[in-house]
Amino acid sequence: MTEAGRILIVEDDADMARALAEACSELGYTPVLETTCAAGLATARTGQFPLAILDRMMPDGDSIDMLAELRHAGTIGAILMVSALAHAGHRSHGLDRGADDYLAKPFAPEELRARIRALVRRTKAQPMDNDFLVFDGLEIRVKARTVHHGQDHIPLSPKEFELLMYFATHAGTPLSRMQLLEHVWNLHFDPQTNVVDVHVGRLRRKLEQHTNRAWIHTARGAGYWFGPDGA
């Protein structure tokens, strides 16, 4: 098994860890199990993982607090949180802090496997040969995950960058809130929160502040669409 075939699991419950590991193995990946946040973060720094699966409540803290460090390590393709803390507020908090998906315990094995497949597929789908997307001076550097306008760097959160990437690869196409939930947050249900509108609003303001142009537009009754100055 190659290094790219490893999936990091951070889970201290033995039965749950076994279930997660079995799902990864059934899909052809090598599970690497850690039982504390500290150990999980240390292992994440040892190489590339297309996916990390994190339980929230760990012996040494809430794994939600390690999301930023995991992202900063740059070795994790996507992050799936699994937790019994699963009301809408918990899910929204996890997604806002940087998780790509949030699965409530208990869950059906087939749903877990489907989430793993979807997250890994999305990681692999990132373009590797075309590193730049350019729109009238707005430059999106895909591998570096940075955005620039002229000499100006536009700071975006990980989720804002993913949102911009989805917009940019569907430029000119109206995208519904449900489409954005499915493809940016990997949610296949409406969490009954305004998480999409909040993130779109933040991204829209940042782009406008740094470029003095409008890039994200409201499609009445449909959602949002991306394009320079409504072009």
Side-chain angles (χ1 to χ4, degrees):
M1 181 67 67
T2 66
E3 186 176 72
R6 298 188 303 167
I7 290 181
L8 174 62
I9 298 172
V10 181
E11 170 64 81
D12 64 318
D13 181 87
D15 291 337
M16 181 56 64
R18 188 178 307 112
L20 295 171
E22 287 176 357
C24 294
S25 297
E26 289 170 5
L27 294 173
Y29 296 96
T30 299
V32 178
L33 177 64
E34 299 293 354
T35 56
T36 65
C37 292
L41 187 58
T43 298
R45 291 171 173 149
T46 64
Q48 297 293 322
F49 295 82
L51 177 67
I53 303 175
L54 312 179
D55 182 28
R56 277 198 62 168
M57 303 313 298
M58 301 297 294
D60 56 345
D62 188 339
S63 66
I64 205 168
D65 295 327
M66 64 187 284
L67 289 176
E69 290 184 82
L70 277 179
R71 291 295 190 194
H72 183 70
T75 57
I76 304 295
I79 298 173
L80 169 64
M81 300 206 77
V82 293
S83 178
L85 301 176
H87 66 54
H90 291 134
R91 296 197 299 269
S92 297
H93 188 208
L95 296 169
D96 284 344
R97 291 286 297 272
D100 296 285
D101 195 6
Y102 198 110
L103 181 60
K105 295 179 180 178
F107 49 78
E110 56 268 31
E111 182 178 7
L112 171 65
R113 291 193 293 270
R115 301 286 186 106
I116 292 173
R117 284 195 297 266
L119 288 167
V120 173
R121 185 168 59 241
R122 191 172 69 183
T123 300
K124 290 180 176 178
Q126 290 184 349
M128 301 302 291
D129 295 327
N130 184 7
D131 191 26
F132 295 90
L133 295 174
V134 180
F135 299 86
D136 277 11
L138 183 72
E139 181 180 288
I140 303 170
R141 300 179 184 177
V142 178
K143 292 178 183 175
R145 296 177 67 85
T146 59
V147 180
H148 304 262
H149 185 259
Q151 299 299 314
D152 192 13
H153 168 241
I154 304 175
L156 300 182
S157 70
K159 189 57 68 180
E160 289 165 352
F161 183 84
E162 292 177 28
L163 184 59
L164 177 59
M165 277 293 297
Y166 191 69
F167 271 128
T169 53
H170 296 79
T173 302
L175 300 172
S176 69
R177 290 172 178 78
M178 199 63 230
Q179 283 177 284
L180 295 172
L181 281 171
E182 289 179 354
H183 294 280
V184 179
W185 281 265
N186 200 34
L187 289 179
H188 302 281
F189 62 94
D190 187 346
Q192 300 296 311
T193 72
N194 62 348
V195 61
V196 170
D197 297 310
V198 169
H199 278 77
V200 168
R202 289 176 183 164
L203 177 60
R204 172 188 269 167
R205 285 191 295 276
K206 286 185 180 181
L207 295 177
E208 291 183 2
Q209 288 169 359
H210 285 267
T211 67
N212 294 316
R213 302 183 65 173
W215 294 88
I216 298 176
H217 314 276
T218 300
R220 183 171 299 176
Y224 301 98
W225 65 278
F226 175 87
D229 284 335

